Amino acid sequence: QVQVVESGGGLVQPGGSLRLSCAASGSISSIGYMGWYRQAPGKQRDWVAGISSTGSTSYSDSVKGRFTISRDNAKNTAYLQMNSLKPEDTAVYYCRVVESRDYWGQGTQVTVSS
């Protein structure tokens, strides 16, 4: 089993920054893809960004140029640096880890408001 824990969420003003972390632990053989998703109240969960085991990254159009995903394979951890935050970025952010199967964390709340 693999446990996934997100952290780093909080309340930030528009234009501010936050850095989310996603730490995987447990019986890990080799982690492949790691991705960030978000779900706003009353909406479906949407993909935000992803990174392969070799470091290739991809972003949704809504966050491209503002968010940066990275990972530390030695620590089985992925990060999401979020800059120039907007109120529409408000959501619960979830991390997806692909090992032998998909694993998800419980999410971390990000609120962008003045």
Side-chain angles (χ1 to χ4, degrees):
Q1 278 284 34
V2 175
Q3 293 77 45
V4 178
V5 178
E6 304 97 335
S7 61
L11 173 64
V12 63
Q13 292 186 343
S17 298
L18 281 175
R19 188 192 194 209
L20 305 184
S21 297
C22 165
S25 62
S27 301
I28 296 173
S29 174
S30 177
I31 294 177
Y33 179 88
M34 301 181 80
W36 286 97
Y37 297 72
R38 66 186 181 186
Q39 187 167 19
K43 297 189 176 181
Q44 66 181 19
R45 187 174 299 187
D46 292 328
W47 172 74
V48 174
I51 185 166
S52 72
S53 59
T54 58
S56 296
T57 61
S58 53
Y59 301 92
S60 68
D61 287 343
S62 61
V63 306
K64 197 173 296 182
R66 299 188 298 123
F67 291 10
T68 302
I69 189 171
S70 61
R71 64 189 284 171
D72 184 334
N73 290 331
K75 295 181 179 180
N76 294 321
T77 299
Y79 306 95
L80 186 68
Q81 177 67 43
M82 306 187 295
N83 299 328
S84 302
L85 283 162
K86 306 175 181 180
E88 50 263 44
D89 294 317
T90 295
V92 178
Y93 283 70
Y94 297 91
C95 179
R96 173 189 171 212
V97 173
V98 179
E99 204 259 352
S100 56
R101 64 173 181 86
D102 281 7
Y103 293 92
W104 292 84
Q106 293 299 308
T108 184
Q109 175 70 47
V110 171
T111 302
V112 184
S113 174
S114 55

